[in-house]
């Protein structure tokens, strides 16, 4: 399918898969053992991982199927626009773009947190922490402006380091596993009723499952490789998450995990000693760096695709004449991330990460639900005869994904849902302005 843009198709299957894995397996798993220990007990945590893993697989299959049929940059924006029209497409682009730059703040907080393990002044001084996080943000924004290929190469190298580090962690944490650390499975105040909240937190680790579809216009042989890279990335991520979370809870007590700002490195240090832990901290930092690069890349692509259709301001669609990247979109997103970092710089790294990651996750959940619904509509409309049996048989996978996304929204809690709803409403005035400004739409409105 021919793409109406200037982006280069430079990503093969290996790099696309590395991008999916790198975006998914990143700051979430490095920080979530602490977040989950604060929210739930070991039993509720593992049930949450299982439910999230199953639900995310259903959602990923929707993206894989749609990506192979519609291999265009913009992913969820393109699918929802095709299925439901301009307004729904715009809202998906609006929420995804906001979720991305908000999520980028969480990822950079995680990078700065691990950097603070190596340089204590960063962790102890909020001003130094803010300056460090800002420097990280703009270094990797510039790297993305210089081209998708160098960014993807750094992401690929980081993903390889990450996989080696996690395999080593699983082996060592397994050897140091203490059964007493996971009992009681459902302690008082952290029982079965905490599963929805834990599931929403674990979903942050699976955001990124749509990465290949978002960058579809830059993937070689997109009809085949978008689907393959999504499925391969999900398989690797689910296996790693389950093992890392379980062995983390066995290698360190819940009370220690709950107050840790660098749980993975702290467990390594506990097993191997502080001196070795410093080197592990460096590897962990390099691992999260790849996630930072991948998410900054993804943030610009949906707003770029929406700008090409006149659904976002034209400046988001500007492509650098030399590097062929949406540089204006990257810069605007970077400025917004920097503002959010400034607003949160007085908070501790762990508290700031928890709040920002939850808000970003809630931005993605309606998109996941709408994308699953879009697959149902795009598949069903080609059926010659529709009845209840045909509908259920044809749409069982996206329907399960849709149900899971709705349940996860419920688990976010009233405060986060309120912020997410307000974020959706804030997008409407921008849509009205863009619609009014677009002369073709004005003409259709007058005819109406």
């Amino acid at each position: 399918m021919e793409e109406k843009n200037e982006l280069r198709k430079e990503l093969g299957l290996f790099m696309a898969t590395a991008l999916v894995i790198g975006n998914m397996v990143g700051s979430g798993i490095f920080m979530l053992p602490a977040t989950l220990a604060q929210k739930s007990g070991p039993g509720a945590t593992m049930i949450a991982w299982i439910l999230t893993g199953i639900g995310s697989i259903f959602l990923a299959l929707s993206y894989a199927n749609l990506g192979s049929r519609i291999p265009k940059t913009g992913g969820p924006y393109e699918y929802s626009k095709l299925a439901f029209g301009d307004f729904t497409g715009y809202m998906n682009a609006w929420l995804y773009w906001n979720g991305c730059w908000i999520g980028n703040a969480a990822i950079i907080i995680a990078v700065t947190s691990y950097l603070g393990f190596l340089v204590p002044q960063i962790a102890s001084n909020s001003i130094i922490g803010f300056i460090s996080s800002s420097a990280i943000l703009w270094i990797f924004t510039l790297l993305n402006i210089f081209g998708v290929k160098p960014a993807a190469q750094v992401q690929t190298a980081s993903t390889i380091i990450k996989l080696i580090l996690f395999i080593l962690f699983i082996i060592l944490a397994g050897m140091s596993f203490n059964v007493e650390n996971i009992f009681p499975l459902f302690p008082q105040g952290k029982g079965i009723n905490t599963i929805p909240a834990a599931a929403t937190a674990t979903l942050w680790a699976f955001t990124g499952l749509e990465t290949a579809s978002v960058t579809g216009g830059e993937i070689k042989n997109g009809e085949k490789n978008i689907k393959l890279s999504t499925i391969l990335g999900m398989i690797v991520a689910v296996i790693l998450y389950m093992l890392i979370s379980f062995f983390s809870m066995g290698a360190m007590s819940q009370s220690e995990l709950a107050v840790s700002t660098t749980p993975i490195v702290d467990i390594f240090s506990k097993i191997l000693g502080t001196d070795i832990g410093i080197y592990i901290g460096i590897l962990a930092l390099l691992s999260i760096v790849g996630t930072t690069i991948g998410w900054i890349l993804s943030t610009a692509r949906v707003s770029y695709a929406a700008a090409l259709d006149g659904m976002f301001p034209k400046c988001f669609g500007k492509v650098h004449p030399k590097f062929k990247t949406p540089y204006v979109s990257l810069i605007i997103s970077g400025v917004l991330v920097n503002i959010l970092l400034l607003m949160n710089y007085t908070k501790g790294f762990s508290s700031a990460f928890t709040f920002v990651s939850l808000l970003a996750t809630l931005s993605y959940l309606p998109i996941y639900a709408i994308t699953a619904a879009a697959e149902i509509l795009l598949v069903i409309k080609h059926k010659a005869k529709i009845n209840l049996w045909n509908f259920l048989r044809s749409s069982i996978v996206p329907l399960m994904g849709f149900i899971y996304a709705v349940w996860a929204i419920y688990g976010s809690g009233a405060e986060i849902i309120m912020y997410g709803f307000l974020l959706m409403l804030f997008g409407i005035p921008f849509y009205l302005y863009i619609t009014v400004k677009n002369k073709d739409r004005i003409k259709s409105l007058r005819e109406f």
Side-chain angles (χ1 to χ4, degrees):
M1 186 177 292
E2 191 176 351
E3 185 82 42
K4 60 172 182 179
N5 60 44
E6 303 176 64
L7 304 182
R8 292 172 179 163
K9 291 182 178 290
E10 296 187 320
L11 304 179
L13 177 60
F14 182 73
M15 279 192 178
T17 304
L19 199 60
V20 174
I21 296 171
N23 274 17
M24 291 176 65
V25 186
S27 64
I29 198 59
F30 278 103
M31 299 292 285
L32 275 177
T35 300
L36 290 168
Q38 297 164 13
K39 291 180 173 293
S40 60
T45 293
M46 291 312 297
I47 292 173
W49 275 116
I50 292 169
L51 293 174
T52 305
I54 294 170
S56 297
I57 287 171
F58 285 128
L59 292 171
L61 288 172
S62 284
Y63 276 99
N65 292 332
L66 289 169
S68 63
R69 294 173 188 164
I70 312 167
K72 300 175 68 177
T73 295
Y77 162 70
E78 295 289 351
Y79 312 149
S80 57
K81 183 186 69 172
L82 185 61
F84 302 114
D86 284 351
F87 179 70
T88 306
Y90 165 82
M91 288 307 298
N92 256 15
W94 169 258
L95 286 173
Y96 191 84
W97 178 67
N98 279 282
C100 279
W101 70 258
I102 292 169
N104 285 345
I107 295 167
I108 290 168
I109 288 168
V111 174
T112 312
S113 178
Y114 271 78
L115 188 60
F117 175 83
L118 303 173
V119 184
Q121 290 84 352
I122 292 174
S124 60
N125 189 307
S126 58
I127 296 176
I128 295 176
F130 169 69
I131 293 171
S132 301
S133 61
S134 298
I136 292 165
L137 164 66
W138 290 106
I139 287 169
F140 295 123
T141 297
L142 287 173
L143 180 60
N144 270 281
I145 290 174
F146 292 154
V148 65
K149 190 170 184 178
Q153 286 173 335
V154 175
Q155 166 80 305
T156 300
S158 173
T159 299
I160 293 170
I161 293 171
K162 193 181 304 181
L163 293 176
I164 294 171
L165 180 65
F166 284 146
I167 291 169
L168 180 62
F169 175 84
I170 290 166
I171 293 170
L172 293 175
M175 293 171 62
S176 304
F177 193 90
N178 183 351
V179 177
E180 293 180 2
N181 286 335
I182 64 171
F183 286 100
L185 289 174
F186 301 97
Q188 187 175 3
K190 295 181 178 180
I192 294 290
N193 62 313
T194 62
I195 290 175
T200 303
T202 56
L203 185 61
W204 168 251
F206 286 98
T207 55
L209 58 89
E210 73 287 346
T211 299
S213 68
V214 170
T215 55
E218 295 159 280
I219 295 177
K220 300 173 184 175
N221 193 11
E223 290 84 354
K224 176 183 177 184
N225 287 337
I226 292 174
K227 186 171 187 174
L228 274 176
S229 59
T230 300
I231 292 171
L232 290 172
M234 276 298 300
I235 291 171
V236 172
V238 169
I239 293 171
L240 280 177
Y241 286 153
M242 296 291 291
L243 292 175
I244 291 168
S245 184
F246 181 70
F247 286 121
S248 292
M249 292 187 294
M252 183 178 280
S253 69
Q254 289 288 293
S255 59
E256 290 175 304
L257 276 177
V259 297
S260 174
T261 57
T262 54
I264 299 297
V265 172
D266 287 346
I267 291 170
F268 266 120
S269 298
K270 184 177 180 181
I271 297 169
L272 300 175
T274 305
D275 292 338
I276 299 296
I278 291 173
Y279 295 105
I280 297 297
I282 294 171
L283 291 176
L285 184 62
L286 293 173
S287 300
I288 308 176
V289 159
T291 305
T292 309
I293 293 168
W295 272 108
I296 289 174
L297 184 151
S298 295
T299 302
R301 268 50 186 184
V302 168
S303 54
Y304 166 80
L308 290 183
D309 284 348
M311 302 299 290
F312 262 41
K314 289 182 179 180
C315 60
F316 284 92
K318 289 186 178 180
V319 174
H320 196 282
K322 179 179 179 181
F323 303 118
K324 301 299 180 184
T325 53
Y327 71 105
V328 175
S329 185
L330 286 163
I331 291 171
I332 293 172
S333 299
V335 170
L336 291 170
V337 173
N338 226 155
I339 293 171
L340 189 57
L341 291 172
L342 179 62
M343 291 169 62
N344 284 274
Y345 88 96
T346 56
K347 296 182 180 179
F349 286 135
S350 181
S351 298
F353 175 84
T354 299
F355 176 79
V356 175
S357 62
L358 277 175
L359 183 58
T361 300
L362 191 65
S363 298
Y364 295 124
L365 282 169
I367 301 165
Y368 292 162
I370 292 169
T371 301
E375 188 194 0
I376 294 172
L377 187 60
L378 293 174
V379 169
I380 290 297
K381 74 176 187 178
H382 294 296
K383 297 287 183 181
K385 183 180 179 181
I386 302 298
N387 54 43
L388 181 60
W389 170 245
N390 282 341
F391 176 82
L392 293 175
R393 186 178 63 180
S394 302
S395 59
I396 185 64
V397 170
L399 193 59
M400 293 300 293
F402 179 86
I403 292 169
Y404 168 74
V406 172
W407 177 75
I409 291 172
Y410 163 78
S412 300
E415 182 183 6
I416 296 295
I417 290 174
M418 179 193 72
Y419 284 122
F421 182 67
L422 289 175
L423 185 63
M424 292 178 67
L425 292 179
F426 284 144
I428 294 176
F430 291 99
Y431 176 79
L432 296 175
Y433 170 74
I434 291 167
T435 302
V436 169
K437 192 175 179 181
N438 187 309
K439 293 181 180 179
D440 292 335
R441 290 195 178 89
I442 284 289
K443 185 178 178 181
S444 64
L445 284 171
R446 285 172 178 168
E447 290 174 354
F448 174 77

